[in-house]
Coordinates of all heavy atoms in Angstrom, one line a residue:
K29 N 0.8 -1.2 0.0 CA 0.0 0.0 0.0 C 0.9 1.3 0.0 O 0.6 2.2 -0.7 CB -0.9 0.0 1.2 CG -2.1 -0.9 1.1 CD -3.0 -0.8 2.3 CE -4.2 -1.8 2.1 NZ -5.1 -1.8 3.3
Q30 N 1.9 1.3 0.8 CA 2.8 2.4 0.8 C 3.5 2.6 -0.5 O 3.6 3.8 -1.0 CB 3.9 2.2 1.9 CG 3.4 2.3 3.3 CD 2.7 3.6 3.6 OE1 3.2 4.7 3.2 NE2 1.5 3.5 4.3
E31 N 3.8 1.6 -1.2 CA 4.4 1.7 -2.5 C 3.4 2.3 -3.5 O 3.8 3.1 -4.3 CB 4.9 0.3 -3.0 CG 5.6 0.3 -4.3 CD 6.1 -1.1 -4.7 OE1 6.8 -1.8 -3.9 OE2 5.7 -1.6 -5.8
E32 N 2.2 1.8 -3.4 CA 1.1 2.4 -4.3 C 0.9 3.9 -4.1 O 0.8 4.7 -5.0 CB -0.2 1.6 -4.1 CG -0.2 0.2 -4.7 CD -0.1 0.2 -6.2 OE1 -0.9 1.0 -6.9 OE2 0.7 -0.5 -6.8
I33 N 0.9 4.2 -2.8 CA 0.7 5.6 -2.4 C 1.8 6.5 -3.0 O 1.6 7.5 -3.6 CB 0.6 5.8 -0.9 CG1 -0.7 5.2 -0.4 CG2 0.7 7.3 -0.5 CD1 -0.8 5.1 1.1
Q34 N 3.1 6.0 -2.8 CA 4.2 6.7 -3.4 C 4.1 6.9 -4.9 O 4.5 7.9 -5.4 CB 5.5 6.1 -2.9 CG 5.8 6.2 -1.5 CD 6.0 7.7 -1.1 OE1 6.6 8.5 -1.8 NE2 5.5 8.0 0.1
K35 N 3.7 5.8 -5.5 CA 3.6 5.8 -7.0 C 2.6 6.9 -7.4 O 2.9 7.6 -8.4 CB 3.2 4.4 -7.5 CG 3.2 4.3 -9.0 CD 2.9 2.9 -9.5 CE 1.5 2.6 -9.4 NZ 1.1 1.3 -9.9
Y36 N 1.5 7.0 -6.8 CA 0.5 7.9 -7.2 C 0.8 9.3 -6.8 O 0.5 10.3 -7.4 CB -0.9 7.5 -6.7 CG -1.5 6.4 -7.4 CD1 -1.7 5.2 -6.8 CD2 -1.8 6.4 -8.8 CE1 -2.2 4.1 -7.4 CE2 -2.3 5.4 -9.4 CZ -2.5 4.2 -8.8 OH -3.0 3.1 -9.5
E37 N 1.6 9.5 -5.7 CA 2.0 10.8 -5.2 C 3.0 11.4 -6.2 O 3.1 12.6 -6.3 CB 2.6 10.7 -3.8 CG 1.6 10.3 -2.8 CD 1.0 11.5 -2.0 OE1 1.7 12.5 -1.8 OE2 -0.1 11.3 -1.5
Q38 N 3.7 10.6 -6.9 CA 4.7 11.1 -7.9 C 4.0 11.7 -9.1 O 4.6 12.4 -9.9 CB 5.7 10.0 -8.3 CG 6.6 9.7 -7.1 CD 7.5 8.5 -7.5 OE1 7.4 7.9 -8.5 NE2 8.3 8.1 -6.5
L39 N 2.7 11.3 -9.3 CA 2.0 11.8 -10.5 C 1.2 13.1 -10.2 O 0.3 13.5 -10.9 CB 1.0 10.7 -10.9 CG 1.6 9.4 -11.3 CD1 0.5 8.4 -11.6 CD2 2.5 9.5 -12.5
D40 N 1.7 13.8 -9.1 CA 1.0 15.0 -8.7 C 1.3 16.3 -9.4 O 1.0 17.4 -8.9 CB 1.2 15.2 -7.2 CG 0.5 14.2 -6.3 OD1 -0.4 13.5 -6.9 OD2 0.8 14.1 -5.1
Q41 N 1.8 16.2 -10.5 CA 2.2 17.4 -11.3 C 1.0 17.8 -12.2 O 0.3 17.0 -12.7 CB 3.4 17.2 -12.1 CG 4.6 16.7 -11.3 CD 5.0 17.7 -10.2 OE1 4.9 18.9 -10.4 NE2 5.4 17.2 -9.0
L42 N 0.8 19.1 -12.3 CA -0.2 19.6 -13.2 C 0.2 19.2 -14.6 O 1.4 19.3 -15.0 CB -0.4 21.1 -13.1 CG -1.2 21.6 -11.9 CD1 -1.1 23.1 -11.9 CD2 -2.6 21.2 -12.0
P43 N -0.7 18.8 -15.5 CA -0.4 18.5 -16.9 C 0.2 19.7 -17.6 O -0.2 20.8 -17.5 CB -1.7 18.0 -17.5 CG -2.6 17.9 -16.4 CD -2.1 18.6 -15.2
P44 N 1.2 19.4 -18.4 CA 1.9 20.5 -19.1 C 1.0 21.3 -20.1 O 1.2 22.4 -20.5 CB 3.1 19.9 -19.9 CG 2.8 18.4 -19.9 CD 1.8 18.2 -18.7
Y45 N -0.1 20.6 -20.6 CA -0.9 21.3 -21.6 C -1.7 22.5 -21.0 O -2.4 23.2 -21.7 CB -1.9 20.3 -22.3 CG -2.8 19.6 -21.4 CD1 -4.0 20.2 -20.9 CD2 -2.6 18.3 -20.9 CE1 -4.9 19.5 -20.1 CE2 -3.4 17.7 -20.1 CZ -4.6 18.3 -19.7 OH -5.4 17.6 -18.8
L46 N -1.7 22.6 -19.6 CA -2.4 23.7 -19.0 C -1.6 25.0 -19.2 O -2.2 26.1 -19.1 CB -2.6 23.5 -17.5 CG -3.5 22.3 -17.1 CD1 -3.6 22.2 -15.6 CD2 -4.9 22.5 -17.7
F47 N -0.4 24.9 -19.6 CA 0.5 26.1 -19.7 C 1.0 26.1 -21.1 O 1.7 25.2 -21.6 CB 1.6 26.1 -18.7 CG 1.1 25.9 -17.3 CD1 1.1 24.7 -16.7 CD2 0.6 27.0 -16.6 CE1 0.7 24.5 -15.4 CE2 0.2 26.9 -15.3 CZ 0.2 25.6 -14.7
T48 N 0.8 27.2 -21.8 CA 1.3 27.3 -23.2 C 2.3 28.5 -23.2 O 2.2 29.4 -22.4 CB 0.2 27.6 -24.2 OG1 -0.5 28.8 -23.8 CG2 -0.8 26.4 -24.3
K49 N 3.3 28.4 -24.2 CA 4.3 29.5 -24.2 C 3.7 30.8 -24.5 O 4.2 31.8 -24.0 CB 5.3 29.1 -25.3 CG 6.2 27.9 -25.0 CD 7.2 27.6 -26.1 CE 7.9 26.4 -25.7 NZ 8.8 26.0 -26.8
D50 N 2.7 30.9 -25.3 CA 2.2 32.2 -25.6 C 1.4 32.9 -24.5 O 1.1 34.1 -24.5 CB 1.3 32.2 -26.9 CG 0.3 31.1 -26.9 OD1 0.6 30.0 -26.4 OD2 -0.8 31.3 -27.3
T51 N 1.0 32.1 -23.5 CA 0.3 32.7 -22.3 C 1.3 33.3 -21.3 O 0.9 34.0 -20.4 CB -0.6 31.7 -21.7 OG1 0.1 30.6 -21.2 CG2 -1.7 31.3 -22.6
I52 N 2.6 32.8 -21.4 CA 3.6 33.3 -20.4 C 4.2 34.5 -20.9 O 5.0 34.5 -21.9 CB 4.6 32.2 -20.1 CG1 3.9 30.9 -19.6 CG2 5.7 32.7 -19.2 CD1 4.8 29.7 -19.4
K53 N 4.0 35.7 -20.3 CA 4.5 36.9 -20.7 C 5.3 37.6 -19.6 O 6.4 38.0 -19.7 CB 3.4 37.8 -21.3 CG 2.8 37.3 -22.5 CD 1.7 38.1 -23.0 CE 1.0 37.4 -24.2 NZ -0.2 38.0 -24.7
F54 N 4.6 37.8 -18.5 CA 5.3 38.4 -17.3 C 4.6 37.9 -16.0 O 3.5 37.3 -16.1 CB 5.2 39.9 -17.4 CG 3.8 40.4 -17.4 CD1 3.1 40.7 -16.3 CD2 3.1 40.5 -18.6 CE1 1.8 41.2 -16.3 CE2 1.8 41.0 -18.7 CZ 1.1 41.3 -17.5
K55 N 5.3 38.1 -14.9 CA 4.7 37.6 -13.7 C 3.7 38.7 -13.2 O 4.0 39.8 -13.0 CB 5.8 37.4 -12.6 CG 6.7 36.3 -13.0 CD 7.7 36.0 -12.0 CE 8.5 34.8 -12.4 NZ 9.5 34.4 -11.4
Q56 N 2.5 38.2 -12.9 CA 1.4 39.0 -12.5 C 1.2 38.8 -11.0 O 0.9 37.6 -10.6 CB 0.2 38.7 -13.3 CG -1.0 39.6 -12.9 CD -2.2 39.4 -13.9 OE1 -2.0 38.8 -14.9 NE2 -3.3 39.9 -13.6
P57 N 1.2 39.8 -10.2 CA 0.9 39.6 -8.7 C -0.6 39.3 -8.5 O -1.5 40.0 -9.0 CB 1.3 40.9 -8.1 CG 1.3 41.9 -9.2 CD 1.5 41.2 -10.5
I58 N -0.9 38.3 -7.7 CA -2.3 38.0 -7.3 C -2.3 37.8 -5.8 O -1.3 37.4 -5.2 CB -2.9 36.8 -8.0 CG1 -2.1 35.5 -7.7 CG2 -3.0 37.1 -9.5 CD1 -2.8 34.3 -8.2
N59 N -3.4 38.0 -5.2 CA -3.6 37.8 -3.8 C -4.4 36.6 -3.5 O -5.6 36.5 -3.9 CB -4.2 39.1 -3.1 CG -4.1 39.0 -1.6 OD1 -3.3 38.3 -1.0 ND2 -4.9 39.9 -1.0
V60 N -3.8 35.6 -2.9 CA -4.4 34.3 -2.6 C -4.2 34.1 -1.1 O -3.1 34.0 -0.6 CB -3.9 33.1 -3.4 CG1 -4.5 31.8 -3.0 CG2 -4.1 33.4 -4.9
L61 N -5.3 34.0 -0.3 CA -5.3 33.8 1.1 C -4.4 34.8 1.8 O -3.5 34.4 2.7 CB -4.8 32.3 1.4 CG -5.7 31.2 0.9 CD1 -5.0 29.9 1.1 CD2 -7.0 31.2 1.6
N62 N -4.5 36.0 1.5 CA -3.7 37.1 2.0 C -2.2 37.0 1.8 O -1.4 37.5 2.5 CB -4.0 37.3 3.5 CG -5.5 37.6 3.8 OD1 -6.1 38.3 3.0 ND2 -6.0 37.1 4.9
V63 N -1.9 36.3 0.8 CA -0.5 36.1 0.4 C -0.4 36.5 -1.1 O -1.1 36.1 -1.9 CB 0.0 34.6 0.5 CG1 1.4 34.5 0.0 CG2 -0.1 34.2 2.0
T64 N 0.6 37.4 -1.4 CA 0.8 37.8 -2.8 C 1.7 36.9 -3.5 O 2.8 36.6 -3.0 CB 1.4 39.3 -2.8 OG1 0.5 40.1 -2.1 CG2 1.6 39.7 -4.2
L65 N 1.2 36.3 -4.6 CA 2.0 35.4 -5.4 C 2.3 36.0 -6.8 O 1.4 36.8 -7.3 CB 1.2 34.1 -5.6 CG 0.8 33.3 -4.3 CD1 0.0 32.1 -4.7 CD2 2.1 32.8 -3.6
L66 N 3.4 35.7 -7.3 CA 3.7 36.1 -8.7 C 3.5 35.0 -9.6 O 4.1 33.9 -9.5 CB 5.2 36.6 -8.8 CG 5.5 37.9 -7.9 CD1 7.0 38.2 -8.0 CD2 4.7 39.1 -8.4

């Protein structure tokens, strides 16, 4: 079970098709949970 959990936890990356080169232009500050993220 621990091995299965580790195997699935390694697949926790967002799929690359969510991000395209033409949408990346500059870092935009946003406020999430009172924390500013770029």
Side-chain angles (χ1 to χ4, degrees):
K29 284 183 181 179
Q30 290 302 317
E31 186 178 303
E32 287 292 313
I33 289 170
Q34 289 298 323
K35 183 172 81 174
Y36 288 114
E37 294 260 334
Q38 291 172 359
L39 301 175
D40 287 344
Q41 304 302 321
L42 282 174
Y45 61 82
L46 292 180
F47 306 98
T48 59
K49 290 180 183 176
D50 50 319
T51 59
I52 300 175
K53 296 180 182 170
F54 60 92
K55 292 185 178 182
Q56 182 172 348
I58 61 168
N59 192 15
V60 176
L61 298 173
N62 298 325
V63 176
T64 302
L65 302 174
L66 296 175

